[in-house]
Amino acid sequence: APVDGLREHTPAAYAITNVRIVPEPGKVIEKGTIVLRDGVIIAAGADVVVPADTRVIDLPGKTVYAGFVDPFTEMSIPPQVRRSGAAHWNELVTPEFDVARHFAVDEELNKKFRAAGITARLVAPEGGIIKGKSALVSTGTTDPSKAVLQSDIAQHVRLTIPRGRDRDNYPNSPMGAVALARQTFYDADWYGKAMAAYKANPNLPRPER
């Protein structure tokens, strides 16, 4: 829709000037400039030339540190939000769980991470043995559409069982967890080959979904 009123042409590039920069442990730039374009740092140093199209923010007396990345946190994904498709027969095998599709921003939690200097964190699905896909998320935004920095980081596997697992439910031991994960990968490999054979020869019976 057309803009109602004056248009705002806010620059997508910023220059933070006259700041003390700590780019890495043991290295300090007492008076420098940081240039960001589209949310990405493109230059940082004492002799950085500020591009003409940047918005300059002068911050003398401030110190800018590189942010930490928390390498592993978890979030719960309820089974009812499972992606479409056939579920595995065991509820601990959920490779279809995808943090990027269901991530919700928790601003209070983000404040705690930022207070510790953590600017990004890797979030994986909670629980399970073959758990699902993780995502790298930012701690600096409340906008869910911008919070996920990168999806599909890794498929996470935990070769043990959740605490409190009932002895009557399989698997109920670390050995059983390893066996289930191993058999699941064997089954997936077999299914891929069976489906390829079916596609090559449709007269064969179609593998069960």
Side-chain angles (χ1 to χ4, degrees), residues 61-126:
K62 300 292 185 181
T63 299
V64 179
Y65 293 91
F68 294 109
V69 177
D70 188 305
F72 186 76
T73 54
E74 294 180 309
M75 67 170 281
S76 176
I77 300 178
Q80 59 266 29
V81 300
R82 180 190 303 270
R83 291 182 63 179
S84 61
H88 193 272
W89 61 268
N90 192 288
E91 75 278 7
L92 298 183
V93 178
T94 55
E96 72 278 11
F97 281 3
D98 187 351
V99 166
R101 291 171 58 90
H102 306 290
F103 182 74
V105 177
D106 185 336
E107 179 55 21
E108 290 303 314
L109 182 62
N110 278 350
K111 287 181 181 178
K112 294 178 181 179
F113 277 110
R114 290 197 301 269
I118 296 170
T119 57
R121 58 193 183 103
L122 182 74
V123 183
E126 185 179 49

Side-chain angles (χ1 to χ4, degrees), residues 11-14 35-42 149:
Y14 298 83
V35 178
L36 304 94
R37 188 177 298 279
D38 296 323
V40 177
I41 295 174
I42 62 171
L149 302 175

Side-chain angles (χ1 to χ4, degrees), residues 32-206:
T33 297
I34 300 175
V35 178
L36 304 94
R37 188 177 298 279
D38 296 323
V40 177
I41 295 174
I42 62 171
D47 302 315
V48 171
V49 177
V50 178
D53 64 337
T54 57
R55 177 183 176 187
V56 177
I57 303 173
D58 195 37
L59 295 175
K62 300 292 185 181
T63 299
V64 179
Y65 293 91
F68 294 109
V69 177
D70 188 305
F72 186 76
T73 54
E74 294 180 309
M75 67 170 281
S76 176
I77 300 178
Q80 59 266 29
V81 300
R82 180 190 303 270
R83 291 182 63 179
S84 61
H88 193 272
W89 61 268
N90 192 288
E91 75 278 7
L92 298 183
V93 178
T94 55
E96 72 278 11
F97 281 3
D98 187 351
V99 166
R101 291 171 58 90
H102 306 290
F103 182 74
V105 177
D106 185 336
E107 179 55 21
E108 290 303 314
L109 182 62
N110 278 350
K111 287 181 181 178
K112 294 178 181 179
F113 277 110
R114 290 197 301 269
I118 296 170
T119 57
R121 58 193 183 103
L122 182 74
V123 183
E126 185 179 49
I129 291 174
I130 299 181
K131 299 151 63 76
K133 294 184 290 185
S134 58
L136 182 70
V137 302
S138 169
T139 64
T141 178
T142 58
D143 184 349
S145 66
K146 297 179 180 179
V148 177
L149 302 175
Q150 186 173 332
S151 59
D152 296 347
I153 297 291
Q155 176 69 238
H156 290 256
V157 178
R158 181 178 65 174
L159 298 178
T160 187
I161 57 172
R163 292 184 179 226
R165 181 108 174 133
D166 194 295
R167 295 290 298 175
D168 294 330
N169 292 325
Y170 175 80
N172 52 33
S173 68
M175 184 180 292
V178 172
L180 178 60
R182 185 170 182 263
Q183 187 62 52
T184 300
F185 281 109
Y186 275 137
D187 292 345
D189 180 62
W190 176 90
Y191 189 85
K193 292 175 180 176
M195 184 59 74
Y198 168 74
K199 289 180 178 179
N201 182 7
N203 292 322
L204 293 174
R206 186 185 190 339

